[in-house]
Amino acid sequence: GVCPALVEGGAGGTTCLGSALCVRAGGAGSEIGGLELRGGGGGIDLIDTANIVLSNLHVHDNDYRGIHVERATDVVIEDVLVEDNADTGIFAMASDVIIRRSQVRRTTPRQGIIDTGRGIVVSVACHDDASGLDCDEDAPASATIESCVVEENELTGVFVMGSMVELDAAVVRSNFESTPDGERGHGVLGTAVCDTVGTTYACNASAPATVSVEQSVVSGNATAGVAAISSTMTVANSVI
């Protein structure tokens, strides 16, 4: 019930991933709304928790992810504006989320980290270790994205790895970045689980993403509107 312009998070802290606001197991059942969260290492972290509602938020200008959800269940994100963050706007890993009536835009790459700058990421559990990126195909995520606008992110609008996403009545547009070789960027990209070991990047076709796009508009993305790598993509009643 407080104007978001009058209540905002600080510049980040030392808990969780250095975000302005962090909810862990003890905060299960929390409802968070009416806040502006900006200028921190990250906006919001939800880790090892459940039954969380985020609503009426403005998460912007953070040096890391706008909203990070990890090993959390029954998370609802609604009526939020996530813009001008780094790495990822909304990141859901090994979690169950519903995102509706929200906007995710202008996500930029994280400083010094290639292949970042995505609007929404829905992924199996992954972590970096000494040998590279290690992902657990048995810990997928799932997301329903309803009536959302995902636009002007520098790499990908919606990225799904080894997980399940339903995209309904959404607009995914103008996601691209400029490189020395030209522009690149996908609207909706689904891929099987991929690991990096040293310089080797390998994907497991037995752990695909499953993506459904319905009643949506996907337009103006540099590389492809929708793309599937060893995964299942269903598109119906949409404009691509």
Side-chain angles (χ1 to χ4, degrees):
V2 179
C3 176
L6 299 179
V7 181
E8 61 184 59
T14 59
T15 60
C16 292
L17 300 178
S19 62
L21 178 64
C22 177
V23 179
R24 302 207 64 151
S30 295
E31 297 184 8
I32 301 166
L35 300 175
E36 180 182 358
L37 298 157
R38 64 179 175 88
I44 303 172
D45 291 336
L46 307 177
I47 300 178
D48 294 317
T49 191
N51 301 310
I52 304 293
V53 177
L54 304 179
S55 64
N56 189 28
L57 300 173
H58 186 193
V59 186
H60 66 102
D61 293 287
N62 292 287
D63 294 332
Y64 195 43
R65 295 167 180 161
I67 300 174
H68 175 97
V69 186
E70 182 175 346
R71 299 185 305 274
T73 57
D74 298 317
V75 174
V76 176
I77 301 170
E78 58 187 9
D79 303 308
V80 303
L81 173 57
V82 181
E83 61 180 351
D84 300 313
N85 299 288
D87 189 276
T88 310
I90 299 176
F91 185 94
M93 182 170 69
S95 299
D96 302 316
V97 301
I98 296 173
I99 307 169
R100 57 193 176 209
R101 300 188 306 274
S102 296
Q103 298 181 58
V104 183
R105 62 194 186 196
R106 296 195 300 270
T107 310
T108 58
R110 188 181 178 194
Q111 186 173 7
I113 307 296
I114 64 172
D115 290 336
T116 59
R118 298 181 171 107
I120 299 175
V121 170
V122 183
S123 174
V124 297
C126 295
H127 68 277
D128 291 311
D129 58 24
S131 62
L133 181 66
D134 183 22
C135 296
D136 182 1
E137 62 192 51
D138 295 322
S142 66
T144 299
I145 303 170
E146 301 175 345
S147 304
C148 292
V149 176
V150 185
E151 62 182 351
E152 299 176 6
N153 302 283
E154 288 202 18
L155 185 59
T156 306
V158 180
F159 177 83
V160 187
M161 185 167 73
S163 298
M164 181 179 296
V165 165
E166 295 181 1
L167 198 70
D168 185 39
V171 176
V172 184
R173 64 190 175 200
S174 303
N175 297 283
F176 64 87
E177 68 172 345
S178 296
T179 72
D181 299 322
E183 294 179 344
R184 65 171 185 164
H186 292 83
V188 182
L189 174 60
T191 179
V193 175
C194 301
D195 296 293
T196 303
V197 179
T199 59
T200 302
Y201 186 74
C203 297
N204 182 1
S206 66
T210 302
V211 183
S212 171
V213 180
E214 295 201 16
Q215 302 183 81
S216 296
V217 175
V218 183
S219 66
N221 304 285
T223 304
V226 296
I229 301 173
S230 300
S231 296
T232 300
M233 179 85 68
T234 302
V235 180
N237 304 313
S238 297
V239 177
I240 308 297

